[in-house]
Amino acid sequence: MKVCLVGSSGGHLTHLYLLKEFWEKEERFWVTFDKTDAQSILKNEKMYPCYFPTNRNLKNLINNTFLALRVLRVERPDLIISSGAAVAVPFFYLGKLFGAKTVYIEVFDRIDTPTFTGKLVYPVTDKFIVQWEEMKKVYPKAENLGGIF
């Protein structure tokens, strides 16, 4: 199985990296910001740098949509995983067109209100994971795994 791990650098990238027990034996690649923390954490990993800032930035949403199209056409992942933020949106929507399954993990610090990215990807996410039972009121089809990080 080929896995695409997509997310902002910082906390989102750290959360994805903490899933190492799952992804370390899989063929994989990363999409994140080309920043110092990502370069350090992913120094031995295949990484595609994306455009940032992403939140509420139309120009970079367009740039990341074209990036997603190029990357997904070449890589053809079976699974796309993200814990946010906005860079996940074009990868989830285009990933579905390429036949990928998608898993979104809503961040731990959201107890009863959705993130903007969560709301955007919810309609196309195959498995939507929350970490608080209260979030099931916001995302009815979500699965609550409790604190997973």
Side-chain angles (χ1 to χ4, degrees), residues 7-19:
S8 305
S9 61
H12 297 288
L13 176 62
T14 301
H15 287 157
L16 291 173
Y17 197 83
L18 290 171
L19 297 173

Side-chain angles (χ1 to χ4, degrees), residues 96-121:
K96 296 304 292 180
L97 294 176
F98 281 90
K101 297 291 184 187
T102 56
V103 175
Y104 188 79
I105 305 165
E106 187 65 287
V107 292
F108 184 75
D109 63 343
R110 289 301 181 112
I111 298 171
D112 58 6
T113 58
T115 60
F116 187 56
T117 301
K119 288 192 296 187
L120 290 174
V121 301

Side-chain angles (χ1 to χ4, degrees), residues 1-145:
M1 172 170 45
K2 186 185 271 191
V3 179
C4 169
L5 297 122
V6 59
S8 305
S9 61
H12 297 288
L13 176 62
T14 301
H15 287 157
L16 291 173
Y17 197 83
L18 290 171
L19 297 173
K20 187 175 183 176
E21 189 175 310
F22 166 76
W23 55 256
E24 70 182 332
K25 294 183 179 138
E26 305 296 338
E27 183 180 359
R28 65 194 172 272
F29 64 94
W30 299 77
V31 179
T32 191
F33 303 165
D34 191 11
K35 290 189 165 184
T36 306
D37 64 328
Q39 293 165 0
S40 175
I41 292 169
L42 302 176
K43 65 182 172 205
N44 296 317
E45 296 287 322
K46 184 175 193 176
M47 185 193 86
Y48 292 92
C50 64
Y51 298 90
F52 65 93
T54 55
N55 290 337
R56 294 167 180 83
N57 186 309
L58 183 59
K59 178 184 173 202
N60 284 339
L61 173 62
I62 292 167
N63 287 334
N64 284 328
T65 299
F66 283 108
L67 174 69
L69 189 58
R70 287 189 309 272
V71 169
L72 294 171
R73 188 179 309 154
V74 170
E75 293 289 349
R76 301 281 182 168
D78 301 297
L79 178 63
I80 301 171
I81 303 173
S82 183
S83 63
V87 66
V89 175
F91 279 85
F92 271 49
Y93 277 86
L94 290 173
K96 296 304 292 180
L97 294 176
F98 281 90
K101 297 291 184 187
T102 56
V103 175
Y104 188 79
I105 305 165
E106 187 65 287
V107 292
F108 184 75
D109 63 343
R110 289 301 181 112
I111 298 171
D112 58 6
T113 58
T115 60
F116 187 56
T117 301
K119 288 192 296 187
L120 290 174
V121 301
Y122 183 70
V124 296
T125 301
D126 294 298
K127 185 169 289 278
F128 198 97
I129 297 169
V130 295
Q131 300 180 63
W132 297 95
E133 191 61 30
E134 293 86 344
M135 289 300 281
K136 294 213 33 157
K137 294 175 188 152
V138 177
Y139 302 113
K141 73 174 185 178
E143 184 175 338
N144 176 18
L145 296 182

